[in-house]
Amino acid sequence: MGSLFATESINGQVIVYSRYCPFKPIKLAVIGAGNVGASTAYALMLSGLAAEIVIIDVNQSKAEGEAMDISHAVPLSSQTRVYAGGYRDLYDAAVVIVTAGVNQKPGQTRLELLQANANIFQKIIPEVAYHAPKTTLLIATNPVDVLTYVAYKLSGFPSHRVIGSGTVLDSARLQTEVGAMFDVNPRSVNAFVIGEHGDSEVVPWSLATIQGMRLRDFCNGADIPYEEKSVRACATRTKTAAYEIIKRKGVTDFAIASALTTIVRAIVRNEDSLLTVSRVGTYAGVEDVCLSVPARVNSKGARTLSRLILEPEEEEALRSSALQIKEAINSLMDPMQTS
């Protein structure tokens, strides 16, 4: 009879795990040690998903400081080795999360960040592809849809292994708003955002439910009025949430870190979770574009299950969002291909 345990060597350290445990020791990498990167590394450490987390930043001292700070929380949470490293440390990372880039300023749209962050990606993504050719790329840098497409092109990876954080965070914000409006736990709300992670995002209200009941049916059953104007205001507040947060604290980081951790968990635990991540595909008749619809996320990456059945106005809004992203992609990729 074979041993109940198996061993694996990670950077010279022998780690023992049970053969009956479905999860092997995992290395995760975070590129970018700014607010989002540091918060993400911290959230990942707390999650207990990884045996190792490596933080990489052009400012090595900043990466070291963040790694040291997070490491000091390890005895109070999950046993994880957290350290600052370089691109060669990516070689066996299961997921590489890219948060590096210029931050969104108050009043600035995500698309206005495009050129600066695309230039940064031209330096980062080829390094990732060279040192970690089998990893799954998870992009968080804004504008995330266009930069996920850029990462797909620069890496040469198949589309299912290049994932943007997309509208996972927007969907959580929407669930929070709907939960508050109807005075229910947001976890009981099944509503999501599709399209761009940005100003053209779409809420398919025809698919929104609370505990399996469409919103109008829930209101009828609870004997409360259904107000179309108030419901649509939830979508507006969802769309503008980042602007409001940035205006007050200068950055959004905690919620996106949680969203990224949710996506990473689905990958490393092979969950087959349906998440509104951003990936390259054809949407509402627009080919070779990157945006969010619910996709199955597991250890192989992300794959779209089937076309959403939307109301005509929702389908048109999704097409409009896709065309806007496509225009931004075209404006960027043409000069990149000739440079």
Side-chain angles (χ1 to χ4, degrees), residues 178 181-182 189-191 204-232 311 313-314:
V178 174
M181 178 178 175
F182 290 104
V189 177
N190 186 4
W205 288 113
S206 64
L207 302 178
T209 63
I210 297 176
Q211 284 297 86
M213 293 177 282
R214 296 186 184 276
L215 301 188
R216 288 184 184 275
D217 295 335
F218 176 83
C219 289
N220 291 335
D223 198 25
I224 59 177
Y226 178 87
E227 299 177 355
E228 186 76 33
K229 182 178 179 180
S230 298
V231 169
R232 296 196 177 277
E311 294 294 324
E313 64 271 18
E314 295 169 343

Side-chain angles (χ1 to χ4, degrees), residues 266-267 269-275 295-299 305:
I267 296 169
R269 291 190 173 177
N270 197 28
E271 286 184 342
D272 287 328
S273 294
L274 294 181
L275 300 171
R296 184 198 299 272
V297 182
N298 56 28
S299 60
L305 289 178

Side-chain angles (χ1 to χ4, degrees), residues 7-28:
T7 61
E8 185 164 327
S9 177
I10 297 181
N11 286 355
Q13 179 182 3
V14 176
I15 296 178
V16 181
Y17 59 94
S18 169
R19 289 187 185 275
Y20 291 100
C21 174
F23 313 123
K24 290 185 178 181
I26 295 293
K27 176 196 278 187
L28 302 173

Side-chain angles (χ1 to χ4, degrees), residues 149-165:
Y149 186 92
V150 170
Y152 162 69
K153 286 295 188 180
L154 291 175
S155 67
F157 287 3
S159 61
H160 62 271
R161 285 202 289 122
V162 184
I163 306 171
S165 56

